[in-house]
Amino acid sequence: MKRRALITGSLIAAGLVWAATVGAMYHAVRRFETTPGRGATARTMWPAGSRIARDHDRWTLVMLIHPHCSCTRASLQELERIIEMSDPSLQTYVLVYRPAGFQAGWEKTETFEAAKRLQRAHVIVDAEGAEARRFGGFTSGQTFLYDREGALRFSGGITSLRGHAGVNRGSMDVVDIVRANARQGTHPVFGCAIVTTESEQKQ
Amino acid sequence: MSENNATDPKMDTRAAEIREERLHARRVRVDRMFTWLFLVQYVAGIIAALTVSPYAWEGKVHTVHLHVWIAAAGGAGIIILPILLSIFRPGTALTRHVIAASQMLSSALLIHLTGGRIETHFHVFGSLAFLAFYLDWTALLTATIVVAADHFLRGIFWPESVYGVANPEWWRFLEHAGWVAFEDVFLIWACVMGKREIASSAARQAQVEHLSELEQLKSAALEMAMSEMQAASA
């Protein structure tokens, strides 16, 4: 009799754990996926101190990535789609963050290799996030689009959620802006932090 | 003779007993199979999380990624109830339905842990086929309701995670659940046919047992008559 009561009690407890787990998991995953990273304090004109050579006859897209950020793979997939759908004259740069104190090679991850496989994209290692600071970006996946005059036309992310590739307003805006040369756009950015504080940004 | 036997209520009762015994034994075996499957999926989920997204990074600082915790703690929470039920209440309808729901939740977890890979969605369809081993179409219904509810609720509160866009049509979840229902049609048919085969085989066994019993009675009567004749002649 005692054993039967023990089994029934255990099953009821397991049922409660089961229901609580399902609810908690949905909540945790939703919060994780829908919480964007810090948006950029983007420069309205191409940053003068940047070491990236901008071609004045072409639109230029710059994406900041953290090579160890798993969510950034989705941003790169979306970038690939943007490159395919845009005019071949679009100049694309992927800046791969490498923090101070880490040896060369730390950044050579699967994400880095995926960036290198992108057609018509230049991959540059951004030592200590110097370029990220110049552009005013904080978060991996942050994308900046500058027109021929060097004016900022888009600043934001190009995925709908953290780690989710697929059709979304951000990547559609980038393609529309490049194609139609119209309006400006912004979209939340989802990814790991590159520059973590405002003071670090100002350095 | 066979017509008389087919309407014999004793034989029908025995056929029903055999059918239930066989179905129960089969369902207990499937429960055990799912217990092992849950454990394998649990380990696979942790490996997937450790492989795909082991750490979350903030500049140069890294911490264990949320996915790893979800795979370890969430995965355990999902499988604890069905495993306990399969040990302490094997072969019951409750166990089957909890296993069906948990298996679909495991699919959703694996899909999430692998970054929503389209290939991982095949886990849902494979799982439905395994659930059909129960020969209980209502378990398939439970699994389908869980998939539909997952898509419906996420479609309302968090649509980008399922459809990639923030404002999908309200009926989009039906399109996804529709593909599951498509497989269900064939699996439900297979369940009904499988149960009929078991019932038919049980009826045959009951008939054989009945005939064997009749033969034994005849032999006993014959032996008794012979011994009576021997006694009379003596």
Side-chain angles (χ1 to χ4, degrees):
Chain A
M1 193 67 183
K2 266 188 180 175
R3 187 174 181 269
R4 194 185 165 87
L6 188 68
I7 289 171
T8 308
S10 303
L11 291 176
I12 290 169
L16 292 173
V17 168
W18 186 81
T21 301
V22 173
M25 264 173 50
Y26 271 81
H27 177 70
V29 170
R30 184 185 178 202
R31 208 172 72 165
F32 172 76
E33 287 193 343
T34 57
T35 306
R38 188 167 182 182
T41 48
R43 321 301 179 215
T44 52
M45 295 301 292
W46 182 268
S50 173
R51 290 180 186 168
I52 298 170
R54 186 177 71 84
D55 187 332
H56 294 264
D57 296 328
R58 297 158 77 175
W59 286 69
T60 309
L61 185 149
V62 176
M63 180 189 269
L64 312 177
I65 69 166
H66 191 303
H68 289 270
C69 176
S70 55
C71 318
T72 301
R73 291 173 205 146
S75 297
L76 288 172
Q77 284 176 38
E78 284 306 302
L79 180 58
E80 185 177 19
R81 218 163 55 83
I82 289 171
I83 293 170
E84 281 170 6
M85 293 172 75
S86 303
D87 190 278
S89 65
L90 176 70
Q91 252 193 331
T92 306
Y93 291 95
V94 179
L95 307 185
V96 184
Y97 169 68
R98 187 176 70 216
F102 285 75
Q103 289 190 338
W106 173 86
E107 70 283 358
K108 289 190 176 158
T109 60
E110 200 185 309
T111 306
F112 178 87
E113 294 304 322
K116 283 189 78 175
R117 283 195 296 272
L118 291 171
Q119 300 279 320
R120 304 196 301 272
H122 308 277
V123 178
I124 298 171
V125 175
D126 183 19
E128 300 180 30
E131 286 293 337
R133 284 198 293 275
R134 282 184 199 113
F135 279 90
F138 290 93
T139 306
S140 183
Q142 175 74 46
T143 302
F144 304 101
L145 178 68
Y146 287 90
D147 64 16
R148 292 185 188 89
E149 284 72 43
L152 181 72
R153 303 296 289 274
F154 178 90
S155 169
I158 53 172
T159 61
S160 57
L161 291 171
R162 198 179 274 258
H164 271 260
V167 179
N168 70 90
R169 177 52 51 199
S171 59
M172 280 162 65
D173 272 1
V174 172
V175 173
D176 287 350
I177 292 166
V178 175
R179 278 183 177 173
N181 190 15
R183 70 191 172 88
Q184 288 192 320
T186 186
H187 190 258
V189 57
F190 298 93
C192 303
I194 292 176
V195 178
T196 51
T197 60
E198 195 72 53
S199 59
E200 200 182 337
Q201 179 66 263
K202 286 174 185 162
Q203 280 173 16
Chain B
M1 177 153 169
S2 61
E3 272 185 16
N4 290 340
N5 288 338
T7 53
D8 186 336
K10 199 178 155 193
M11 206 173 71
D12 286 348
T13 311
R14 178 63 189 142
E17 270 175 22
I18 297 169
R19 189 187 68 220
E20 289 309 309
E21 274 169 20
R22 286 185 182 176
L23 271 176
H24 183 75
R26 180 191 181 100
R27 286 167 177 171
V28 169
R29 278 201 305 275
V30 180
D31 286 345
R32 284 201 197 113
M33 183 197 82
F34 270 108
T35 300
W36 288 107
L37 185 61
F38 280 128
L39 293 172
V40 169
Q41 285 171 172
Y42 177 64
V43 174
I46 292 173
I47 292 171
L50 290 172
T51 309
V52 177
S53 46
Y55 299 114
W57 288 79
E58 290 231 347
K60 54 187 170 183
V61 180
H62 66 276
T63 52
V64 175
H65 201 284
L66 178 74
H67 282 180
V68 178
W69 295 116
I70 285 180
I78 285 177
I79 66 172
I80 189 166
L81 180 62
I83 287 179
L84 286 177
L85 281 170
S86 69
I87 293 168
F88 296 114
R89 298 280 185 273
T92 62
L94 174 68
T95 303
R96 279 197 294 287
H97 288 282
V98 170
I99 283 177
S102 302
Q103 184 60 14
M104 291 299 114
L105 291 171
S106 297
S107 294
L109 178 61
L110 285 172
I111 289 167
H112 178 75
L113 293 175
T114 54
R117 280 178 73 86
I118 198 80
E119 291 83 355
T120 321
H121 287 71
F122 294 127
H123 188 269
V124 173
F125 298 98
S127 298
L128 286 170
F130 288 157
L131 289 169
F133 291 178
Y134 279 121
L135 299 184
D136 179 2
W137 63 268
T138 60
L140 292 171
L141 199 64
T142 297
T144 306
I145 288 169
V146 170
V147 172
D150 172 61
H151 280 70
F152 178 68
L153 293 174
R154 282 202 285 154
I156 289 176
F157 298 113
W158 180 16
E160 301 94 328
S161 71
V162 195
Y163 310 111
V165 290
N167 50 355
E169 301 85 349
W170 69 268
W171 46 263
R172 280 285 289 275
F173 79 99
L174 290 174
E175 188 183 333
H176 287 234
W179 288 109
V180 174
F182 172 73
E183 186 182 358
D184 280 348
V185 169
F186 298 97
L187 293 177
I188 288 170
W189 178 76
C191 285
V192 171
M193 296 305 286
K195 268 183 92 170
R196 271 190 203 162
E197 276 169 24
I198 285 183
S200 150
S201 138
R204 277 198 303 275
Q205 190 180 325
Q207 199 174 21
V208 168
E209 283 178 10
H210 184 70
L211 289 173
S212 162
E213 206 176 298
L214 285 177
E215 286 303 314
Q216 279 175 2
L217 286 172
K218 275 184 194 170
S219 301
L222 191 64
E223 271 178 31
M224 194 180 281
M226 282 180 72
S227 55
E228 278 171 6
M229 278 168 66
Q230 279 173 358
S233 64

